[in-house]
Amino acid sequence: DAKTTQPTSMDCAEGRAANLPCNHSTISGNEYVYWYRQIHSQGPQYIIHGLKNNETNEMASLIITEDRKSSTLILPHATLRDTAVYYCIVRLNTGNQFYFGTGTSLTVIP
Amino acid sequence: DAMVIQNPRYQVTQFGKPVTLSCSQTLNHNVMYWYQQKSSQAPKLLFHYYDKDFNNEADTPDNFQSRRPNTSFCFLDIRSPGLGDAAMYLCATSTRGYAGRPSFGDGTRLSIL
């Protein structure tokens, strides 16, 4: 199964872009990359997912490298409410399992 | 709104006393998951159902069991809770297929006395 590696913590100034990296060097061709975030005492919340191409929605952008071994989640204008733990997940192509990485604790600073 | 509902949000049980956590969904997803999340850790997958097909993770203790009587409901049974089982338990649902994305409930926080 493809594993993910993320930095333990990051800080970002309010109003600036937050760039959260994820390494998934063993990802296989049919596995999607998902990003979720979790605010304390709540369930994880879906942000975005992608396969090969870069993706953008109302919350964030996802940049996947051409070799698909890493990706970056971009929050274009971070707010204090974006303070959370962000998880990068790779979905196995042999089943339905979702395995969480260690996550990055993002703190947005006023 | 379609959603994943976990009841109760907080559950207290005694050491060794069986406890059941429940999850329901209105999304009509055919995959349902149970995760355990201990303090300051990432959620850890315990098992999942694809329809009625149960899939256990290799390192899930035998103390943890699950039931899915129908599409909408799924239960987590802890037969003899130990102090180490105190955690947040998260339920999630998904459609099958690579592009399906899991929807999570807000969890049940289990305390063991």
Side-chain angles (χ1 to χ4, degrees):
Chain A
D1 53 324
K3 302 292 186 185
T4 61
T5 304
Q6 300 175 251
T8 302
S9 63
M10 294 180 64
D11 293 338
C12 178
E14 187 178 17
R16 305 297 293 269
N19 296 279
L20 294 92
C22 179
N23 181 285
H24 32 78
S25 58
T26 61
I27 194 170
S28 64
N30 289 329
E31 290 177 302
Y32 281 73
V33 178
Y34 299 77
W35 282 84
Y36 280 70
R37 73 180 183 186
Q38 188 175 26
I39 298 169
H40 184 63
S41 295
Q42 296 182 16
Q45 175 193 22
Y46 169 80
I47 301 173
I48 199 167
H49 74 285
L51 181 62
K52 297 180 184 177
N53 301 320
N54 298 337
E55 302 287 343
T56 295
N57 63 21
E58 64 280 3
M59 291 183 68
S61 295
L62 174 61
I63 308 298
I64 302 175
T65 57
E66 191 170 342
D67 63 8
R68 302 187 70 240
K69 293 185 177 183
S70 65
S71 61
T72 300
L73 178 73
I74 301 173
L75 307 178
H77 306 286
T79 71
L80 299 180
R81 287 184 293 182
D82 292 322
T83 293
V85 178
Y86 287 77
Y87 292 103
C88 172
I89 303 166
V90 172
R91 185 173 199 173
L92 282 174
N93 66 352
T94 56
N96 296 302
Q97 292 92 329
F98 282 93
Y99 295 114
F100 283 79
T102 52
T104 296
S105 178
L106 175 70
T107 301
V108 179
I109 302 168
Chain B
D1 288 341
M3 56 198 311
V4 181
I5 302 166
Q6 293 189 245
N7 284 311
R9 289 296 312 277
Y10 299 91
Q11 175 76 54
V12 180
T13 191
Q14 293 179 332
F15 181 94
K17 184 175 181 181
V19 64
T20 295
L21 309 182
S22 68
C23 176
S24 64
Q25 58 140 335
T26 60
L27 297 161
N28 204 33
H29 286 167
N30 48 16
V31 186
M32 293 188 78
Y33 307 82
W34 280 103
Y35 290 83
Q36 179 192 62
Q37 185 174 27
K38 295 187 176 181
S39 181
S40 301
Q41 296 183 18
K44 180 179 181 297
L45 181 62
L46 295 173
F47 27 61
H48 77 276
Y49 276 94
Y50 170 54
D51 290 330
K52 286 192 174 292
D53 184 22
F54 177 71
N55 297 270
N56 200 25
E57 293 298 304
D59 57 354
T60 297
D62 292 340
N63 199 25
F64 292 86
Q65 305 285 320
S66 186
R67 295 170 285 134
R68 189 179 186 186
N70 53 52
T71 301
S72 300
F73 287 89
C74 195
F75 300 99
L76 170 63
D77 301 309
I78 309 176
R79 293 191 296 186
S80 182
L83 297 179
D85 297 328
M88 173 79 84
Y89 290 88
L90 293 161
C91 175
T93 73
S94 175
T95 56
R96 181 170 173 84
Y98 309 134
R101 64 191 201 213
S103 299
F104 283 82
D106 280 333
T108 294
R109 183 167 297 282
L110 179 66
S111 299
I112 314 294
L113 299 180

